[in-house]
PDB file of all heavy atoms in Angstrom:
ATOM      1  N   GLU A 915      -8.579  -7.696   3.337  1.00  0.00           N
ATOM      2  CA  GLU A 915      -7.551  -6.695   3.612  1.00  0.00           C
ATOM      3  C   GLU A 915      -6.589  -6.548   2.434  1.00  0.00           C
ATOM      4  O   GLU A 915      -6.463  -7.425   1.595  1.00  0.00           O
ATOM      5  CB  GLU A 915      -6.752  -7.097   4.860  1.00  0.00           C
ATOM      6  CG  GLU A 915      -7.564  -6.980   6.140  1.00  0.00           C
ATOM      7  CD  GLU A 915      -6.838  -7.434   7.398  1.00  0.00           C
ATOM      8  OE1 GLU A 915      -5.779  -8.093   7.277  1.00  0.00           O
ATOM      9  OE2 GLU A 915      -7.325  -7.152   8.493  1.00  0.00           O
ATOM     10  N   ARG A 916      -5.888  -5.411   2.441  1.00  0.00           N
ATOM     11  CA  ARG A 916      -4.772  -5.144   1.532  1.00  0.00           C
ATOM     12  C   ARG A 916      -5.103  -5.384   0.049  1.00  0.00           C
ATOM     13  O   ARG A 916      -4.379  -6.105  -0.651  1.00  0.00           O
ATOM     14  CB  ARG A 916      -3.546  -5.971   1.947  1.00  0.00           C
ATOM     15  CG  ARG A 916      -3.037  -5.562   3.317  1.00  0.00           C
ATOM     16  CD  ARG A 916      -1.750  -6.250   3.706  1.00  0.00           C
ATOM     17  NE  ARG A 916      -1.319  -5.768   5.006  1.00  0.00           N
ATOM     18  CZ  ARG A 916      -0.500  -4.719   5.183  1.00  0.00           C
ATOM     19  NH1 ARG A 916       0.000  -4.098   4.158  1.00  0.00           N
ATOM     20  NH2 ARG A 916      -0.181  -4.322   6.389  1.00  0.00           N
ATOM     21  N   TYR A 945      -7.520 -15.527  11.792  1.00  0.00           N
ATOM     22  CA  TYR A 945      -7.021 -15.465  10.416  1.00  0.00           C
ATOM     23  C   TYR A 945      -6.523 -16.871  10.062  1.00  0.00           C
ATOM     24  O   TYR A 945      -5.341 -17.111   9.904  1.00  0.00           O
ATOM     25  CB  TYR A 945      -5.872 -14.456  10.315  1.00  0.00           C
ATOM     26  CG  TYR A 945      -6.273 -12.984  10.369  1.00  0.00           C
ATOM     27  CD1 TYR A 945      -6.783 -12.407  11.523  1.00  0.00           C
ATOM     28  CD2 TYR A 945      -6.110 -12.173   9.256  1.00  0.00           C
ATOM     29  CE1 TYR A 945      -7.121 -11.056  11.566  1.00  0.00           C
ATOM     30  CE2 TYR A 945      -6.436 -10.818   9.290  1.00  0.00           C
ATOM     31  CZ  TYR A 945      -6.951 -10.273  10.448  1.00  0.00           C
ATOM     32  OH  TYR A 945      -7.276  -8.941  10.489  1.00  0.00           O
ATOM     33  N   ASP A 977      -0.814 -11.358   4.539  1.00  0.00           N
ATOM     34  CA  ASP A 977      -0.575 -10.052   3.896  1.00  0.00           C
ATOM     35  C   ASP A 977      -0.098 -10.248   2.462  1.00  0.00           C
ATOM     36  O   ASP A 977       0.792 -11.065   2.198  1.00  0.00           O
ATOM     37  CB  ASP A 977       0.513  -9.267   4.647  1.00  0.00           C
ATOM     38  CG  ASP A 977      -0.026  -8.577   5.887  1.00  0.00           C
ATOM     39  OD1 ASP A 977      -1.190  -8.810   6.254  1.00  0.00           O
ATOM     40  OD2 ASP A 977       0.748  -7.814   6.492  1.00  0.00           O
ATOM     41  N   GLU A1023       5.850  -9.364   6.819  1.00  0.00           N
ATOM     42  CA  GLU A1023       4.563  -9.044   6.187  1.00  0.00           C
ATOM     43  C   GLU A1023       4.544  -7.592   5.745  1.00  0.00           C
ATOM     44  O   GLU A1023       5.563  -6.905   5.835  1.00  0.00           O
ATOM     45  CB  GLU A1023       3.395  -9.431   7.075  1.00  0.00           C
ATOM     46  CG  GLU A1023       3.412  -8.856   8.443  1.00  0.00           C
ATOM     47  CD  GLU A1023       2.276  -9.383   9.303  1.00  0.00           C
ATOM     48  OE1 GLU A1023       1.647 -10.387   8.972  1.00  0.00           O
ATOM     49  OE2 GLU A1023       2.016  -8.744  10.329  1.00  0.00           O
ATOM     50  N   GLY A1043       1.073  -7.997  14.300  1.00  0.00           N
ATOM     51  CA  GLY A1043      -0.316  -7.566  14.167  1.00  0.00           C
ATOM     52  C   GLY A1043      -0.402  -6.089  13.833  1.00  0.00           C
ATOM     53  O   GLY A1043       0.372  -5.585  13.016  1.00  0.00           O
ATOM     54  N   TRP A1044      -1.316  -5.383  14.489  1.00  0.00           N
ATOM     55  CA  TRP A1044      -1.501  -3.954  14.204  1.00  0.00           C
ATOM     56  C   TRP A1044      -0.383  -3.104  14.807  1.00  0.00           C
ATOM     57  O   TRP A1044      -0.250  -1.929  14.479  1.00  0.00           O
ATOM     58  CB  TRP A1044      -2.832  -3.445  14.764  1.00  0.00           C
ATOM     59  CG  TRP A1044      -4.066  -4.126  14.262  1.00  0.00           C
ATOM     60  CD1 TRP A1044      -4.940  -4.866  15.006  1.00  0.00           C
ATOM     61  CD2 TRP A1044      -4.601  -4.115  12.928  1.00  0.00           C
ATOM     62  NE1 TRP A1044      -5.975  -5.315  14.215  1.00  0.00           N
ATOM     63  CE2 TRP A1044      -5.791  -4.864  12.942  1.00  0.00           C
ATOM     64  CE3 TRP A1044      -4.179  -3.541  11.715  1.00  0.00           C
ATOM     65  CZ2 TRP A1044      -6.575  -5.062  11.799  1.00  0.00           C
ATOM     66  CZ3 TRP A1044      -4.953  -3.742  10.580  1.00  0.00           C
ATOM     67  CH2 TRP A1044      -6.132  -4.495  10.623  1.00  0.00           C
ATOM     68  N   GLN A1078       3.648   0.696   9.284  1.00  0.00           N
ATOM     69  CA  GLN A1078       3.921  -0.623   8.702  1.00  0.00           C
ATOM     70  C   GLN A1078       3.890  -0.517   7.175  1.00  0.00           C
ATOM     71  O   GLN A1078       2.916  -0.004   6.605  1.00  0.00           O
ATOM     72  CB  GLN A1078       2.860  -1.634   9.160  1.00  0.00           C
ATOM     73  CG  GLN A1078       3.115  -3.034   8.633  1.00  0.00           C
ATOM     74  CD  GLN A1078       1.979  -4.005   8.899  1.00  0.00           C
ATOM     75  OE1 GLN A1078       0.850  -3.588   9.124  1.00  0.00           O
ATOM     76  NE2 GLN A1078       2.282  -5.283   8.853  1.00  0.00           N
ATOM     77  N   TRP A1100      -1.589   2.115  11.889  1.00  0.00           N
ATOM     78  CA  TRP A1100      -2.887   1.513  12.237  1.00  0.00           C
ATOM     79  C   TRP A1100      -3.412   2.012  13.576  1.00  0.00           C
ATOM     80  O   TRP A1100      -2.646   2.184  14.530  1.00  0.00           O
ATOM     81  CB  TRP A1100      -2.744  -0.009  12.308  1.00  0.00           C
ATOM     82  CG  TRP A1100      -2.361  -0.657  11.023  1.00  0.00           C
ATOM     83  CD1 TRP A1100      -1.168  -1.266  10.738  1.00  0.00           C
ATOM     84  CD2 TRP A1100      -3.162  -0.807   9.845  1.00  0.00           C
ATOM     85  NE1 TRP A1100      -1.189  -1.773   9.457  1.00  0.00           N
ATOM     86  CE2 TRP A1100      -2.392  -1.507   8.883  1.00  0.00           C
ATOM     87  CE3 TRP A1100      -4.460  -0.411   9.498  1.00  0.00           C
ATOM     88  CZ2 TRP A1100      -2.878  -1.820   7.610  1.00  0.00           C
ATOM     89  CZ3 TRP A1100      -4.935  -0.727   8.235  1.00  0.00           C
ATOM     90  CH2 TRP A1100      -4.161  -1.426   7.302  1.00  0.00           C
TER      91      TRP A1100
HETATM   92  C1  GAL B1173      -1.096  -7.188  10.530  1.00  0.00           C
HETATM   93  C2  GAL B1173      -1.364  -7.082   9.044  1.00  0.00           C
HETATM   94  C3  GAL B1173      -2.622  -6.290   8.843  1.00  0.00           C
HETATM   95  C4  GAL B1173      -3.733  -6.970   9.631  1.00  0.00           C
HETATM   96  C5  GAL B1173      -3.341  -7.102  11.090  1.00  0.00           C
HETATM   97  C6  GAL B1173      -4.399  -7.838  11.900  1.00  0.00           C
HETATM   98  O1  GAL B1173       0.002  -7.959  10.791  1.00  0.00           O
HETATM   99  O2  GAL B1173      -0.280  -6.470   8.399  1.00  0.00           O
HETATM  100  O3  GAL B1173      -2.912  -6.214   7.468  1.00  0.00           O
HETATM  101  O4  GAL B1173      -3.954  -8.249   9.100  1.00  0.00           O
HETATM  102  O5  GAL B1173      -2.148  -7.810  11.197  1.00  0.00           O
HETATM  103  O6  GAL B1173      -3.942  -8.071  13.204  1.00  0.00           O
END
Side-chain angles (χ1 to χ4, degrees):
E915 290 177 346
R916 296 186 178 269
Y945 286 68
D977 280 8
E1023 55 185 16
W1044 301 116
Q1078 182 189 21
W1100 297 111

